[in-house]
């Protein structure tokens, strides 16, 4: 995150904003996704590079605020059923993190999407929606 924060601050000062996507993209999406959507990612990079400095400053501030964030102490107070969906190939939030987060909730279930990166809601959206739907149906059945 430190490198991305530095890139965002450099972009806010007039540097190449596309560098932020260059750094975040590979940690978010699979190599196959990048290959398949190379033209669209190049377009997205150009759009991001054209954003105003305040946007990059906000990205840097947001990422800085996430440093050391640990929601586990608060999770114990959540008594309703919870679902933690992890991505098997997540480079940003590895499965071990998802396991620790899930263990912090009194009534949680961990569901791992195989072959999915951090950006699974983009690359594996049907699978994520199906898992959410299945989880919600178990909640409805429990009433």
């Amino acid at each position: 995150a430190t490198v991305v924060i530095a890139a965002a601050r450099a972009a806010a000062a007039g540097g190449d904003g596309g560098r932020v996507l260059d750094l975040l993209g590979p940690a978010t999406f699979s190599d196959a996704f990048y290959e398949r959507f190379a033209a669209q990612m190049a377009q997205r990079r150009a759009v991001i590079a054209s954003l105003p400095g305040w946007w990059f400053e906000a990205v840097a501030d947001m990422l800085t605020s996430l440093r050391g964030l640990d929601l586990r102490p608060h999770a114990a107070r959540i008594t309703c059923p919870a679902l933690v969906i992890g991505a098997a190939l997540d480079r940003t939030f590895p499965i071990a993190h998802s396991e620790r987060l899930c263990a912090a909730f009194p009534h949680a279930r961990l569901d791992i999407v195989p072959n999915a990166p951090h950006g699974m809601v983009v690359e594996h959206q049907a699978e994520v929606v199906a898992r959410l739907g299945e989880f919600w149906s178990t909640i409805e059945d429990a009433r």
Side-chain angles (χ1 to χ4, degrees):
T2 303
V3 175
V4 179
I5 292 168
R9 297 234 189 265
D16 178 15
R19 180 82 178 120
V20 173
L21 180 61
D22 295 343
L23 294 167
L24 285 176
T28 304
F29 302 110
S30 68
D31 294 340
F33 181 85
Y34 259 90
E35 289 172 23
R36 183 174 176 201
F37 297 103
Q40 292 91 334
M41 292 306 286
Q43 289 172 343
R44 178 63 49 98
R45 186 189 194 286
V47 169
I48 290 172
S50 71
L51 292 170
W54 62 262
W55 189 87
F56 293 103
E57 201 59 51
V59 168
D61 289 347
M62 179 192 65
L63 292 173
T64 299
S65 73
L66 293 174
R67 282 184 174 167
L69 177 66
D70 186 358
L71 299 174
R72 291 175 297 166
H74 306 287
R77 297 188 318 217
I78 299 172
T79 59
C80 64
L83 175 64
V84 175
I85 301 179
L89 305 178
D90 197 328
R91 298 173 192 156
T92 302
F93 200 83
I95 292 175
H97 289 29
S98 297
E99 290 170 340
R100 287 192 296 273
L101 180 61
C102 183
F105 287 95
H107 305 287
R109 180 176 101 200
L110 176 62
D111 203 348
I112 302 296
V113 179
N115 300 313
H118 187 70
M120 69 181 151
V121 297
V122 173
E123 292 191 47
H124 297 266
Q125 53 193 262
E127 211 169 333
V128 171
V129 168
R131 289 164 190 263
L132 287 169
E134 188 276 328
F135 173 73
W136 282 110
S137 71
T138 64
I139 301 299
E140 299 266 330
D141 292 344
R143 287 186 190 187

